[in-house]
Amino acid sequence: MLVSVVFEQPHRTVFGAAFKYFSYYHSFIKMRVVILSALLLLLNLGWVKAYDRETNTTRTGSKLPNIIIIMADDMGFDDLSIRGGREFLTPNIDALAFHGRLLDRLYAPAMCTPSRGALLSGKYPIHTGTQHFVISNQEPWSLKLNTTLMPEIFRAAGYSTNLVGKWHLGFARPEFTPTHRGFDYHYGYWGAYIDYYQRRSQMPDKTYIMGYDFRRNMEVECADRGVYMTDLLTNEAERVIQETAAKQQPLFLMINHLAVHTGNDNDPLQVPEEELQKFAHIKDPNHRKYAAMVSKLDQSVGRVIGALARAEQLENSIVIFYSDNGAPSVGMFANTGSNWPLKGQKNSPWEGGLRVAGAIWSPLLKARSSVFTQPIYVGDFLPTLAHAAGIELPDSLQLDGIDLWPQLSGPKEAPHVPREILHSLDDVWNVSSLLLGYWKYVNGTTLAGQYDQQLVQRELDDLDPRANRYVVEVRNSLASRALARFDQQRLTQHRMKNIMIDAKVDCGDMQRGCNALLEECLYDMSVDPCERNNLAYSEQHAEILATMRQRIKQLRAGAVPIQNLPGVAYANPTLHECTWDLFEIKKPGSVPLECDMHGIPCSAQI
């Protein structure tokens, strides 16, 4: 039997791990908090092993399950209509959740590079050197090269490993890039973002001119330029699905969309005009564009599910959809996305930046058509999916993520695994954010605290014309039509309503706020998911607060140095044929070129 990774040392000591679980037993915590926690941890591990033996659900026979991860970029927590919003609908993504499981408490680091690094490594950013900010295109650093990544593990198990879309984990040297880090194939862009049509990117630091950023493996790709990026990436994903199925090879496919991240400053929100016209009911012109961008993303999910069905691969697939972090509702790279009712946004230590939209579907899940309320971290996907594929992971990986496949694939009433999630530990900006059981600790914040509140309200007036036939729209979606044949029970309106009730976030009353620039914040997330009542000053919670501080101290002691390096002038696309290129090894041109949205390197192609 496969030994679940949760038993394999995601923490460095028993006592360190004990802090992870203590809050589930906080009624017992007195002066002997560490000793009692350690004992309870050992009991908990024994229960999980027994539970795993009873509920283990993996692949059938010798056929490895296909694994498809569809990642949105900067999508808001409340931007899935299954949550109840009706400004615009997401019937295909919702169908994935209605027929599968809504990942109600899925957490990710609050920015692109650390979030993607955590997914692929199964580790906290403090253990890969990505804990501070993101990699800007002109910076010569990457995710630590001695880190084993998910595609390497799955390729070694016989999978065809494919990345379609965004990388954003470094490209200054070849060894930083996707096909040198476990992916057999990459079609997409190396950097942070690009124009949705012309595939060019200009970093916010205007010292660096517009550069082209799109590749097929290591070569610049100019074909089909002018096709809307969401459609272009979906076209390629469909091709990969069909070709891999024909080879009868198990598929590992990541589709990392540009949507719904903004493009360049001169035209940040881009979408085909015919799609935009569908959302004339939305008054705000920017939010109207955002709604249309989400709609194109939703259609992409339906097309991917449809491609798997046509290739007869759905019956042996695990499909995950999620956003890399919360939406930037306002400020830099603002796309108007909504994290309501959570406070904060992308690049913040609050739930609005960390708790992300997500769903999973597979016929291997016993409790399909339900809400998965267990807290889950993007770093858990590596050990969880490895378990589903029957891949044993060595202790030497020292993962922070834990194996939750028994809980995901098991019955709806499966007990929660008490756990720790380090959201942020950034000693450059002096920000720490930690979930331990029910408890969340925040000390410090970003951007002088200007986004440390609920930033948007749910719109009640600009309703999508399809809102009154929401159930029909979901059941008629491409995704639902493909998935319905695997249902254990018919997806009725009543069942859909109950799932939406279970997905509702109930905020407690505002009692005592917290200014994280000046004080520590402590929240009981079981009753205060919107972070409205700071318990740090409660004498009753003094032991809990002390334990949270101690765990942060332990984690800090085990952190690796940040990998960040400053940008370099020779990265400028004007010195590399107007391309964001391997600037650490490629000799820059002697004469800077004039670079804009058109021309080289694709001047001969439209």
Side-chain angles (χ1 to χ4, degrees), residues 118-392:
L119 169 72
L120 292 181
S121 69
K123 296 186 178 187
Y124 295 143
I126 61 165
H127 295 140
T128 61
T130 57
Q131 62 266 45
H132 175 65
F133 205 53
V134 300
I135 302 173
S136 195
N137 284 15
Q138 69 273 15
E139 296 174 353
W141 63 285
S142 73
L143 184 75
K144 281 178 69 68
L145 292 176
N146 63 355
T147 304
T148 302
L149 302 187
M150 190 187 298
E152 298 177 82
I153 292 167
F154 281 84
R155 183 166 66 180
Y159 279 80
S160 169
T161 55
N162 303 267
L163 172 62
V164 173
K166 177 173 174 174
W167 174 238
H168 205 189
L169 290 171
F171 65 84
R173 294 179 174 275
E175 57 266 33
F176 295 174
T177 61
T179 52
H180 290 256
R181 305 220 61 180
F183 285 104
D184 295 316
Y185 176 72
H186 176 226
Y187 177 85
Y189 55 107
W190 285 344
Y193 55 87
I194 51 177
D195 182 89
Y196 277 75
Y197 294 98
Q198 298 303 325
R199 313 176 190 176
R200 297 179 190 250
S201 175
Q202 183 174 27
M203 292 295 96
D205 180 350
K206 297 302 189 286
T207 304
Y208 300 89
I209 307 302
M210 193 78 69
Y212 190 82
D213 184 10
F214 206 79
R215 307 264 169 170
R216 189 183 296 274
N217 296 323
M218 300 299 291
E219 301 302 319
V220 171
E221 173 77 4
C222 292
D224 299 316
R225 195 158 53 93
V227 176
Y228 186 64
M229 186 53 57
T230 305
D231 293 334
L232 186 75
L233 298 179
T234 308
N235 295 344
E236 186 66 12
E238 289 176 322
R239 186 194 68 77
V240 169
I241 289 168
Q242 194 64 45
E243 286 194 2
T244 308
K247 297 175 184 175
Q248 297 187 326
Q249 185 176 9
L251 173 64
F252 178 88
L253 172 62
M254 288 186 63
I255 309 167
N256 290 1
H257 277 285
L258 171 60
V260 283
H261 198 292
T262 54
N264 297 296
D265 285 348
N266 64 326
D267 191 10
L269 299 171
Q270 298 174 295
V271 73
E273 182 61 32
E274 63 270 19
E275 195 67 27
L276 185 63
Q277 291 174 2
K278 299 176 184 177
F279 299 93
H281 61 279
I282 297 178
K283 299 182 186 69
D284 180 274
N286 287 329
H287 198 54
R288 189 183 311 138
K289 290 181 181 179
Y290 178 77
M293 293 165 71
V294 172
S295 180
K296 291 295 289 183
L297 175 65
D298 180 75
Q299 293 166 33
S300 172
V301 172
R303 287 176 58 189
V304 169
I305 298 299
L308 289 165
R310 289 192 303 275
E312 300 182 342
Q313 296 298 302
L314 271 178
E315 54 266 36
N316 191 45
S317 289
I318 301 169
V319 183
I320 295 170
F321 171 88
Y322 82 100
S323 179
D324 64 338
N325 44 249
S329 306
V330 296
M332 179 178 277
F333 303 123
N335 62 9
T336 78
S338 173
N339 304 308
W340 185 90
L342 309 176
K343 71 189 256 187
Q345 62 170 16
K346 175 180 179 176
N347 188 22
S348 82
W350 311 106
E351 295 291 284
L354 303 164
R355 186 175 172 182
V356 298
I360 184 172
W361 178 90
S362 175
L364 300 174
L365 307 181
K366 291 179 180 177
R368 297 195 294 283
S369 294
S370 68
V371 176
F372 186 65
T373 57
Q374 159 80 49
I376 181 171
Y377 180 58
V378 291
D380 299 338
F381 284 139
L382 193 164
T384 297
L385 294 173
H387 185 160
I391 300 171
E392 297 215 32

Side-chain angles (χ1 to χ4, degrees), residues 4 13 33 56 61 63 103 155 177 185 199 221 279 288 301 311 331 372 377 405 420 429 495 497 532 548 559 563:
S4 180
T13 67
V33 58
N56 186 33
K63 195 173 183 182
L103 299 176
R155 183 166 66 180
T177 61
Y185 176 72
R199 313 176 190 176
E221 173 77 4
F279 299 93
R288 189 183 311 138
V301 172
F372 186 65
Y377 180 58
W405 185 247
E420 165 192 284
W429 286 346
R495 296 187 73 200
K497 181 180 178 181
R532 293 181 171 183
M548 303 296 271
Q563 299 294 291

Side-chain angles (χ1 to χ4, degrees), residues 491-529:
L491 186 64
T492 63
Q493 182 173 350
H494 178 72
R495 296 187 73 200
M496 293 172 69
K497 181 180 178 181
N498 286 340
I499 290 169
M500 293 182 67
I501 290 171
D502 290 343
K504 188 175 184 294
V505 177
D506 291 315
C507 295
D509 295 332
M510 175 65 76
Q511 297 181 43
R512 178 165 186 156
C514 183
N515 183 346
L517 291 171
L518 303 175
E519 58 188 333
E520 295 171 296
C521 312
L522 179 68
Y523 305 100
D524 181 348
M525 302 304 290
S526 67
V527 295
D528 186 19

